[in-house]
């Protein structure tokens, strides 16, 4: 696997999120209701395996763990080492009963086989992972290890219609603070939706955010 020193984009990503890590949980508090809705939309059952792609500081881990229980499994993908350390600490502090496999790498290079073996995952969550969703390689790599019919849920920022300037001011400010790629904000879910069945997109927060749900 390439190291951050030889990957300018990954180096920039690590720098961005390492700076945000100390206050990341506080920054994401306003989106907690949307996170709960996204996890609920996965319709997980005890014993299932779920991918948490772009896991950040592990804010989704408690909800995912509650859904799949001690017989389930969570595979958490996060390239920022600082964020991943906080995710591991959260799992310990919250005494998560569910085993968590931590993959400290990019979604394009995530070694899912090392965590899943011959098994396939039952669901995948992409929560505020705009840069990941703009990478066809990252999307295809994740979907390749999902079972047919697996549930997929994504949520994040998106441009509102042009007649909603206040919403777009919010999106612009948040995006400049949190993502590397500004392209694709008009339809962040396009690569994922094209590979899904029964895909449904709902807008939230005066159209400044979206919730995509469907199946592989």
């Amino acid at each position: 696997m390439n190291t951050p020193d030889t990957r300018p984009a990954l180096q920039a990503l690590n720098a961005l999120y390492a700076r945000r890590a100390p206050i990341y949980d506080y920054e994401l508090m306003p989106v907690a209701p949307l996170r709960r809705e996204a996890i609920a939309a996965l319709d997980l059952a005890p014993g299932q395996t779920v991918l948490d792609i772009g896991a950040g500081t592990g804010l989704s881990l408690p909800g995912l763990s509650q859904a799949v229980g001690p017989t389930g499994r969570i595979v958490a993908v996060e390239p920022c080492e600082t964020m991943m350390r906080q995710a591991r600490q959260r799992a310990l502090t919250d005494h998560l009963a569910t085993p968590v496999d931590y993959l400290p790498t990019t979604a394009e290079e995530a070694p899912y086989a090392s965590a899943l073996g011959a098994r396939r995952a039952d669901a995948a969550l992409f929560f505020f992972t705009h840069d990941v969703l703009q990478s066809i390689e990252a999307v295809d790599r994740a979907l390749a290890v999902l079972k047919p019919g697996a549930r997929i849920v994504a949520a994040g920022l998106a441009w509102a219609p042009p007649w909603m300037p206040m919403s777009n001011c919010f999106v612009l400010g948040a995006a400049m603070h949190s993502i590397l790629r500004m392209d694709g904000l008009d339809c962040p879910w396009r690569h994922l939706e094209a590979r899904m069945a029964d895909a449904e997109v709902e807008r939230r927060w005066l159209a400044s955010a979206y919730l995509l749900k469907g199946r592989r």
Side-chain angles (χ1 to χ4, degrees):
M1 183 180 67
N2 292 317
T3 65
D5 292 336
T6 59
R7 296 281 304 279
L10 180 54
Q11 191 172 13
L13 187 70
N14 271 286
L16 172 65
Y17 281 97
R19 288 195 302 269
R20 295 181 64 197
I23 59 171
Y24 187 80
D25 291 1
Y26 299 103
E27 290 181 336
L28 272 287
M29 286 178 67
V31 308
L34 182 57
R35 186 187 301 276
R36 289 193 292 269
E37 186 178 4
I39 292 173
L42 288 170
D43 195 24
L44 295 166
Q48 290 190 326
T49 297
V50 57
L51 308 181
D52 184 8
I53 301 169
T57 61
L59 286 168
S60 295
L61 294 181
L64 296 174
S65 176
Q66 185 176 16
V68 302
T71 59
R73 196 165 203 89
I74 302 170
V75 179
V77 180
E78 174 54 51
C80 178
E81 296 175 2
T82 306
M83 291 277 198
M84 183 64 86
R85 283 196 299 270
Q86 292 181 214
R88 291 176 182 271
Q89 185 57 49
R90 184 184 306 279
L92 292 174
T93 302
D94 290 358
H95 303 290
L96 295 190
T98 307
V100 181
D101 291 290
Y102 300 96
L103 303 182
T105 184
T106 64
E108 289 87 353
E109 299 177 334
Y112 293 111
S114 67
L116 297 172
R119 295 176 295 125
R120 290 196 172 190
D122 300 282
L125 175 65
F126 298 82
F127 193 80
F128 279 67
T129 56
H130 178 79
D131 291 316
V132 172
L133 292 179
Q134 303 321 299
S135 168
I136 294 176
E137 182 181 358
V139 169
D140 285 345
R141 193 173 186 87
L143 267 56
V145 298
L146 295 179
K147 295 177 180 177
R151 293 285 294 177
I152 302 168
V153 174
L157 298 169
W159 291 129
W163 57 85
M164 303 180 74
M166 294 305 294
S167 293
N168 284 324
C169 284
F170 166 74
V171 173
L172 178 61
M176 291 179 66
H177 178 63
S178 61
I179 66 176
L180 295 179
R181 298 180 57 171
M182 297 293 288
D183 61 300
L185 277 170
D186 58 323
C187 187
W189 56 84
R190 66 191 186 283
H191 297 316
L192 193 54
E193 183 183 31
R195 292 157 172 76
M196 292 170 58
D198 305 320
E200 176 185 351
V201 180
E202 301 173 1
R203 301 305 292 265
R204 297 287 189 274
W205 308 344
L206 298 177
S208 64
Y210 71 92
L211 178 70
L212 167 72
K213 47 190 175 182
R215 296 185 180 275
R216 180 181 182 275

